[in-house]
Amino acid sequence: MQLRRIQISVPPPSSQPKMPFKNILTRHQWLRVGLFSAIGAPVIALFLAVYLIWFSPHFVIDYVEINGANGLDMSAVRRLVFSQMDTTRYYIFPQRNVWFFDNEAAQHAIWEEYAISQLSIEKQSPNTMKISVFEEPFQAIWYTKGKYYKVDGRGIIIKEVDADLLSTIPYPLPAADNLGVIAPIKTPSSKEGLKAPSLLFIQDSTNADASSGMAVMSSHTVEAMGMLKEKLAAQHIEPYYIITKPREHDIEIITTQQWAIRLNVFERVDEQIDHLRVVLQQRVDKERNELQYVDVRFDNRIYIKKK
């Protein structure tokens, strides 16, 4: 029997195949890298975006542009808008940022402050706020319970105003009690007598509560009252203020000479003024200071009462 010699070669240690547990560890490492890329990177990107939006001066509102103001105090509107910017939205979001500014709240604040027929607020990138507004100028001052209110051309109360700001009325209006009894006008110390204010002041004889948005007169009544001022000027009569009731057409005009004219503004106003002219010329032209009132509401039946 012949024996053969077999030689077996063993590769060096460096060329030996990797152990199975090392392959498993490598896969786990790659898995952790993949998870970090899938979750961590978006989170970092989100925080970076929030930081840029929240704190970047690029999105801070610096300019408030107002168009179509029609006599509106633009500086006052800007102050109102910027005062809102100094607050936060939902307690954390700064409203000075264009993304977090509350348009609806700003619109509501402007509506509360001014008589606005049209209003829109538009954010323009990057840092501009554009306000398009048209104001209906107020026509009269409504006075009740010692308070003054702006009234627009529709006869709707806009808001309460501070009496100290109404420099156009030289003397405080007399108060009315809950029964509608109005105290007599206090005669001023000046020998010149009462001075006609530039605004139309209307006294509520019912002394009822009033609030913004309340309709106290019709637009027809407001328009008629404005026309009366010009018509009475031709008779050398200056209205000091008007007494009426909410949504009524009968009015009483208190003149600067401290006598009254009672008329109805719903119809035939020109005819009533003409009757007044005739009565004053024919009967009391030189005795107006002795008058208490002239009532011209009942066609050609004119009622005169002296003091």
Side-chain angles (χ1 to χ4, degrees), residues 174-184 203-207 243:
D177 60 23
N178 292 331
L179 298 178
V181 178
I182 298 177
Q203 164 86 289
D204 177 10
S205 62
T206 65
N207 207 32
I243 300 174

Side-chain angles (χ1 to χ4, degrees), residues 16-30:
Q16 290 183 356
K18 294 181 179 180
M19 299 300 292
F21 74 91
K22 290 187 177 180
N23 288 333
I24 295 176
L25 289 177
T26 302
R27 286 197 296 269
H28 284 174
Q29 291 173 352
W30 280 109

Side-chain angles (χ1 to χ4, degrees), residues 162-170 197-199 201:
D162 190 341
D164 294 336
L165 301 178
L166 298 175
S167 58
T168 54
I169 182 168
S198 59
L199 292 176
F201 285 81

Side-chain angles (χ1 to χ4, degrees), residues 228-244:
L228 280 172
K229 189 173 183 179
E230 299 179 3
K231 295 179 182 295
L232 292 175
Q235 310 299 324
H236 305 288
I237 298 173
E238 292 182 306
Y240 184 59
Y241 69 100
I242 296 174
I243 300 174
T244 189

Side-chain angles (χ1 to χ4, degrees), residues 58 73 103 130 230 245 252 279:
H58 184 74
D73 187 353
N103 282 18
K130 182 177 180 181
E230 299 179 3
K245 297 178 181 179
E252 184 173 3
V279 168

Side-chain angles (χ1 to χ4, degrees), residues 124-222:
Q124 293 185 337
S125 180
N127 54 2
T128 301
M129 184 80 64
K130 182 177 180 181
I131 300 177
S132 299
V133 63
F134 181 82
E135 181 185 30
E136 292 184 0
F138 71 92
Q139 303 290 328
I141 297 293
W142 185 263
Y143 176 74
T144 182
K145 286 195 170 182
K147 298 180 180 180
Y148 297 86
Y149 300 87
K150 285 184 178 182
V151 178
D152 66 12
R154 301 165 295 175
I156 297 176
I157 290 179
I158 303 172
K159 67 166 187 172
E160 182 183 351
V161 292
D162 190 341
D164 294 336
L165 301 178
L166 298 175
S167 58
T168 54
I169 182 168
Y171 311 104
L173 294 183
D177 60 23
N178 292 331
L179 298 178
V181 178
I182 298 177
I185 302 174
K186 293 182 179 180
T187 304
S189 58
S190 172
K191 296 181 180 180
E192 298 178 358
L194 299 174
K195 297 179 181 179
S198 59
L199 292 176
L200 186 63
F201 285 81
I202 305 170
Q203 164 86 289
D204 177 10
S205 62
T206 65
N207 207 32
D209 292 328
S211 60
S212 300
M214 178 184 296
V216 292
M217 295 179 292
S218 67
S219 57
H220 174 82
T221 301
V222 177

Side-chain angles (χ1 to χ4, degrees), residues 65-72 74 116 118 131-135:
E65 178 183 343
I66 303 176
N67 296 320
N70 192 32
L72 185 67
M74 293 184 290
I116 304 297
Q118 296 178 2
I131 300 177
S132 299
V133 63
F134 181 82
E135 181 185 30

